């Protein structure tokens, strides 16, 4: 069986083309669930896969352990944040972890990671299909598929949108430059 992750509603039509008889759609939110209901497609919601661990506790453990992880040349991140042999990690730690701004984001990412991991463990798919829109959800899906050595089919919808946006921006830039050049030439006559 294949799993088709629908992590963004705007890509649902493209993912429906990839639908197989034995594929299971996983909806990331309520809007996606409603749309799949309307189309009478078999799916499960991300929330249907329970997490056994306490995510608050797991997030706090991760935050405490993060700065002690060896990253390069057998040094941890604290050792990289030094100035004249004085650690400045306390400032970074305060900003990243103690302001209350980032904790919910870390918690949300770890929660999604655990849910996606549970889906892979429970459903045991041969292949995972999703749109790689460079979002956190897509990155989590890729990392977990790599962790479990599961084949992935990902479409890079994001790339064509960026190319289109870049083309429009460049065309506007050229038009504006031409207009300004014309204005400057008229000014000096």
């Amino acid at each position: 069986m294949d799993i088709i992750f629908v992590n963004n509603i705007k890509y649902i039509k493209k993912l429906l083309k990839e639908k197989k008889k034995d594929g299971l759609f996983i909806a990331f939110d309520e809007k996606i669930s409603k749309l799949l209901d309307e189309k009478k497609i078999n799916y499960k919601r991300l929330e249907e896969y329970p997490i056994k661990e306490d995510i608050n506790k797991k997030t706090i453990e991760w935050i405490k352990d993060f700065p002690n992880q060896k990253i390069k040349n057998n040094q941890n991140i604290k050792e990289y944040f030094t100035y004249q042999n004085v650690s400045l990690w306390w400032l970074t730690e305060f900003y990243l972890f103690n302001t209350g701004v980032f904790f919910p984001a870390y918690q949300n990412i770890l929660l999604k990671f655990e849910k996606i991991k549970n889906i892979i463990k429970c459903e045991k798919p041969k292949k995972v299909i999703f749109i790689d829109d460079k979002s956190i959800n897509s990155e989590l899906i890729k990392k977990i598929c790599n962790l479990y050595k599961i084949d992935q089919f990902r479409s890079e919808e994001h790339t064509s949108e960026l190319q289109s946006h870049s083309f429009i921006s460049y065309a506007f830039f050229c038009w504006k430059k031409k207009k300004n050049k014309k204005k400057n030439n008229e000014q000096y006559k």
Side-chain angles (χ1 to χ4, degrees), residues 72-107:
K72 191 176 177 184
N73 299 332
N74 211 23
Q75 288 184 311
N76 64 35
I77 201 161
K78 286 182 195 175
E79 294 165 328
Y80 273 92
F81 281 87
T82 59
Y83 178 73
Q84 296 181 353
N85 294 328
V86 175
S87 176
L88 298 177
W89 176 251
W90 62 270
L91 179 61
T92 306
E93 185 177 39
F94 176 78
Y95 179 71
L96 288 176
F97 305 127
N98 297 334
T99 59
V101 175
F102 294 98
F103 186 81
Y106 296 140
Q107 192 176 29

Side-chain angles (χ1 to χ4, degrees), residues 87-179:
S87 176
L88 298 177
W89 176 251
W90 62 270
L91 179 61
T92 306
E93 185 177 39
F94 176 78
Y95 179 71
L96 288 176
F97 305 127
N98 297 334
T99 59
V101 175
F102 294 98
F103 186 81
Y106 296 140
Q107 192 176 29
N108 188 32
I109 291 168
L110 289 178
L111 181 66
K112 283 185 181 176
F113 181 88
E114 291 297 326
K115 285 185 179 188
I116 294 167
K117 193 171 79 172
N118 279 353
I119 291 167
I120 299 298
K121 281 182 176 179
C122 291
E123 302 298 339
K124 298 175 180 50
K126 292 178 185 171
K127 181 167 57 172
V128 168
I129 300 167
F130 65 101
I131 300 290
D132 186 2
D133 61 353
K134 308 300 184 219
S135 67
I136 289 173
N137 293 335
S138 292
E139 292 302 315
L140 289 171
I141 294 166
K142 280 192 278 189
K143 301 286 184 206
I144 294 167
C145 285
N146 290 338
L147 181 70
Y148 288 98
K149 296 174 178 37
I150 295 173
D151 289 338
Q152 305 165 47
F153 174 79
R154 54 183 191 251
S155 177
E156 306 243 350
E157 187 72 21
H158 184 70
T159 306
S160 62
E161 286 179 9
L162 272 179
Q163 287 170 340
S164 173
H165 180 68
S166 297
F167 177 76
I168 292 166
S169 297
Y170 181 71
F172 181 75
F173 169 76
C174 291
W175 174 77
K176 190 111 170 141
K177 190 175 179 183
K178 187 176 181 180
K179 187 178 173 185

